[in-house]
Amino acid sequence: MSDLPPCPKCQSPYAYEDAGQLICPECAHEWSTSESSSDDDVALVVKDSNGNTLSDGDSVTVIKDLKVKGSSSVIKVGTKVKNIRLVEGDHDIDCKITGIGPMKLKSQFVKKI
């Protein structure tokens, strides 16, 4: 039939091309023709304030006093954060800080231990 790749989300063989984009009629997923067939191969690269690459499970240290939104508490310089988890978005680190609880941090305010 056609030499177009199947949909990377639902594996439907009915993908079609429209203006340089491939479109799946079953799940409405759109992707470019230059994109690889699997989005899972792309790893999230997050760097700390010194340019070191962070990964899930690393320990980091806070390099600046950070105010906690909606609270009067502050995360002090030198606070150690263990077992971080990387996520996509503006605040790219999910973690639990002792005494404060679950938090989202920006990687520009931490350094790898």
Side-chain angles (χ1 to χ4, degrees):
M1 238 163 63
S2 72
D3 57 345
L4 296 174
C7 175
K9 281 206 172 182
C10 69
Q11 301 302 319
S12 170
Y14 303 114
Y16 63 92
E17 187 172 8
D18 185 30
Q21 294 278 346
L22 294 172
I23 302 169
C24 176
E26 292 184 3
C27 70
H29 178 68
E30 296 182 9
W31 69 101
S32 68
T33 56
S34 62
E35 227 176 83
S36 66
S37 62
S38 175
D39 293 340
D40 298 333
D41 297 341
V42 179
L44 180 65
V45 177
V46 177
K47 297 191 178 216
D48 69 357
S49 62
N50 295 334
N52 298 322
T53 304
L54 298 173
S55 60
D56 288 339
D58 282 346
S59 294
V60 295
T61 302
V62 177
I63 61 167
K64 177 183 174 184
D65 282 348
L66 301 173
K67 294 180 182 178
V68 178
K69 197 172 195 176
S71 175
S72 61
S73 61
V74 175
I75 301 171
K76 296 287 188 180
V77 172
T79 301
K80 187 175 180 181
V81 181
K82 299 178 184 177
N83 199 16
I84 64 170
R85 185 179 46 218
L86 303 178
V87 294
E88 290 186 28
D90 186 32
H91 292 74
D92 43 15
I93 298 174
D94 272 345
C95 61
K96 282 188 180 178
I97 299 176
T98 307
I100 295 176
M103 295 287 300
K104 288 188 174 228
L105 298 175
K106 290 187 176 184
S107 60
Q108 64 191 14
F109 299 121
V110 299
K111 70 176 182 177
K112 190 173 182 176
I113 298 178

